[in-house]
Amino acid sequence: MTAEPTEYGDRLAVVTVTYSPGETLERFVQTLAEATTRPVRVILADNGSVDGAPEAAAAAHEHVELVRTGGNLGYGSGANRGVAALGPEYGWVVVANPDLEWGPGSLDELLAAADRWPRGGSFGPLITERDGTVYPSARQVPSLGKGIGHGVLGKVWPGNPWTKEYKQSATDVRERAAGWLSGSCLLLRRTAFDSVEGFDSRYFMYFEDVDLGERLGEAGWQNVYVPSAKVMHIQGVSTAKVSTKMLTAHHESAYRFIADRHKGPAWAPVRAAVKAGLALRLRLETR
């Protein structure tokens, strides 16, 4: 018998997955105070930090709680653990990277958009890099052809038509529905997150947000890009320390995403070709 959906309250929580995040975590907490006028609880879903930053943040701020996941579970699984630690009074959950600085009023902008989009399951802000460059955080779910075109040519020919169509949000900066939104900063309607059972734990890192966005769409929810909300992402603070491992995880996740959607004997040659192509690209990138 299917369990009845949980009825959630209207409180707001932020879940961030930490893995030795360094000094950026304190800036994350400080700028969050200006992102919303609502009370907010912060869950640090810690995947095994050794730098003491999560412990320091939890000790310094009453609204910040440290939840140890028990190991390095990856991003999606860590986020799932953090969300599971929240009571039913929390109906709105933000999943965000700890190396992120919040723009003033950014969370309130996302919550206001949720009123305009009643079928919105996830909401993502405009994300900039340190130099002000807009990160393409609202994209199409890649088809096999577009995914291969972007994957093969994206580095050597950034302006190729497949990459341009895939990375929409750098040029299409307006409030709109997207195929998926970057998991580096997502406001989630908790009922929507529950309806697809959260992030797929098989993705250690990368593509867990693409997969989530597609599954939300298939479940009847919308992924809404809200560029009036602005945040800055200082990318790679934790992952830079293990860049080869992260590149490997990226390629493994790319293959899983494609293989999951092209099952059966008829697709076996395509899966083999994709796997070989990704392995070649990984060797070239890690030389």
Side-chain angles (χ1 to χ4, degrees):
M1 186 168 62
T2 304
E4 287 294 317
T6 302
E7 290 190 14
Y8 291 114
D10 200 42
R11 294 187 65 179
L12 173 67
V14 172
V15 171
T16 185
V17 180
T18 53
Y19 183 70
S20 296
E23 297 177 357
T24 60
L25 181 59
E26 182 58 28
R27 186 66 182 157
F28 174 96
V29 176
Q30 289 178 354
T31 57
L32 179 61
E34 300 178 358
T36 178
T37 57
R38 297 177 57 168
V40 60
R41 181 182 178 191
V42 179
I43 297 290
L44 309 179
D46 189 64
N47 270 347
S49 295
V50 294
D51 65 352
E55 290 84 354
H61 304 280
E62 288 186 4
H63 65 297
V64 176
E65 178 184 351
L66 178 61
V67 174
R68 301 186 192 279
T69 66
N72 189 3
L73 307 184
Y75 189 75
S77 291
N80 288 344
R81 291 287 182 92
V83 175
L86 295 167
E89 65 271 28
Y90 293 94
W92 296 99
V93 181
V94 178
V95 174
N97 283 12
D99 53 347
L100 184 143
E101 293 188 8
W102 303 89
S106 52
L107 265 184
D108 284 342
E109 284 286 337
L110 292 176
L111 288 163
D115 289 335
R116 297 190 290 272
W117 297 76
R119 288 304 299 171
S122 71
F123 301 84
L126 182 146
I127 301 173
T128 65
E129 299 177 14
R130 286 196 213 201
D131 62 1
T133 302
V134 175
Y135 178 75
S137 59
R139 310 188 190 186
Q140 291 184 345
V141 175
S143 64
L144 181 61
K146 289 174 186 172
I148 291 173
H150 165 64
V152 173
L153 299 173
K155 296 272 186 173
V156 296
W157 180 20
N160 74 78
W162 299 280
T163 295
K164 286 177 70 174
E165 189 173 356
Y166 172 52
K167 293 185 174 183
Q168 297 174 307
S169 62
T171 53
D172 193 1
V173 183
R174 60 186 174 88
E175 188 167 300
R176 58 181 172 82
W180 64 278
L181 301 164
S182 171
S184 60
C185 186
L186 274 179
L187 170 68
L188 295 157
R189 198 183 300 268
R190 198 168 175 190
T191 50
F193 192 67
D194 279 2
S195 74
V196 296
E197 299 181 341
F199 288 105
D200 186 336
S201 61
R202 296 176 304 151
Y203 292 90
F204 177 78
M205 189 77 72
Y206 306 109
F207 278 84
E208 71 284 323
D209 46 7
V210 191
D211 173 78
L212 178 71
E214 184 180 52
R215 288 187 292 114
L216 283 170
E218 289 173 346
W221 299 98
Q222 293 171 304
N223 302 289
V224 183
Y225 180 47
V226 188
S228 56
K230 298 179 177 65
V231 302
M232 183 179 73
H233 187 198
I234 305 168
Q235 297 197 44
V237 171
S238 295
T239 57
K241 303 166 190 171
V242 282
S243 57
T244 299
K245 182 179 179 181
M246 290 302 100
L247 278 172
T248 301
H250 184 276
H251 287 71
E252 289 175 349
S253 292
Y255 176 74
R256 181 179 297 283
F257 184 84
I258 292 170
D260 277 355
R261 286 148 184 82
H262 300 87
K263 296 178 179 179
W267 287 104
V270 173
R271 293 196 301 272
V274 167
K275 193 168 191 176
L278 286 168
L280 175 60
R281 177 176 162 169
L282 178 60
R283 283 200 299 272
L284 293 173
E285 291 190 9
T286 55
R287 279 189 307 184

